Amino acid sequence: MDPASGKHGIGSDTGQLRIKTSRTGLGRKAGHDLTIEVTRWSGDVTVDVADPGRSSVVASIEVDSLEVREGVGGLKPLTDDDRADIKRTIREKILHTAEHPRITFTSTEIAGTPHAFTVTGDLTIMGTTHPITLEAGLDAEGGVHGAATVVQSTWGIKPYKAFAGALRLADEARIEFDLAPLTETAALG
């Protein structure tokens, strides 16, 4: 099922947006590979079936809505206190939420077919904008699934480290998203 032409609202009520991190360094066995969910985000997708190059995506996430959902690996299971500490560290030391409350994305080009396409655009994190390309596609029901890799240091983000740098988050983080089908009834007009 292909999406309907028109403008569609997307966000945390129509899909999921996740950030996946991994560990590196000599002390990586002590840490966790994290799955972090963005619980408040929104955007608009404009679909032009007749001319896909005229389609576009604009999205914004609220950085203080990041919630640690899963921690894999590590010497001990991730606790609720660990989750709270990680969230505080992300907000205060890594992404400086008070000064930079939102991360935004604005597409500049969409290419490919409905079932395998790329969305290239400008990603702004902490006031710094760089291009990024998302790889995506439609499933049989019309849902949209995709992912991209963000190299944190490109945006001036210093990946978390502990134990004198023996445990570090990898510089690359994976962004994944799953959207409900963009249908005629979801079109905004």
Side-chain angles (χ1 to χ4, degrees):
M1 173 157 98
D2 289 341
S5 284
K7 191 173 184 179
H8 305 269
I10 58 170
S12 42
D13 58 340
T14 62
Q16 280 194 320
L17 181 58
R18 296 171 304 282
I19 302 163
K20 295 194 171 195
T21 66
S22 60
R23 310 157 277 163
T24 188
L26 295 174
R28 68 182 166 270
K29 290 183 180 182
H32 299 88
D33 292 335
L34 301 176
T35 298
I36 302 167
E37 182 180 2
V38 181
T39 61
R40 289 189 315 276
W41 63 280
S42 62
D44 291 312
V45 175
T46 301
V47 178
D48 187 333
V49 174
D51 185 0
R54 292 182 47 150
S55 298
S56 64
V57 178
V58 176
S60 176
I61 73 166
E62 295 181 37
V63 180
D64 69 353
S65 77
L66 301 179
E67 295 289 340
V68 178
R69 296 296 187 210
E70 182 179 36
V72 176
L75 296 175
K76 61 182 183 77
L78 200 61
T79 66
D80 289 341
D81 285 343
D82 293 333
R83 286 180 175 82
D85 286 344
I86 292 167
K87 182 173 181 170
R88 187 172 31 262
T89 298
I90 291 169
R91 291 173 64 179
E92 297 172 7
K93 296 179 180 176
I94 297 173
L95 294 178
H96 308 284
T97 306
E99 296 90 26
H100 307 285
R102 285 180 195 72
I103 294 173
T104 61
F105 175 80
T106 303
S107 67
T108 56
E109 179 182 24
I110 298 177
T113 68
H115 300 285
F117 58 93
T118 59
V119 180
T120 301
D122 294 325
L123 180 64
T124 302
I125 304 173
M126 296 185 352
T128 301
T129 303
H130 289 285
I132 189 168
T133 298
L134 309 160
E135 306 236 350
L138 294 174
D139 63 24
E141 289 78 40
V144 181
H145 309 281
T149 299
V150 172
V151 178
Q152 297 177 74
S153 59
T154 300
W155 280 267
I157 300 168
K158 294 179 182 172
Y160 176 79
K161 59 184 173 182
F163 308 120
L167 168 64
R168 300 184 308 273
L169 282 186
D171 199 10
E172 292 184 347
R174 184 168 169 83
I175 310 300
E176 297 177 350
F177 62 91
D178 299 296
L179 299 174
L182 303 176
T183 63
E184 297 269 354
T185 56
L188 300 175

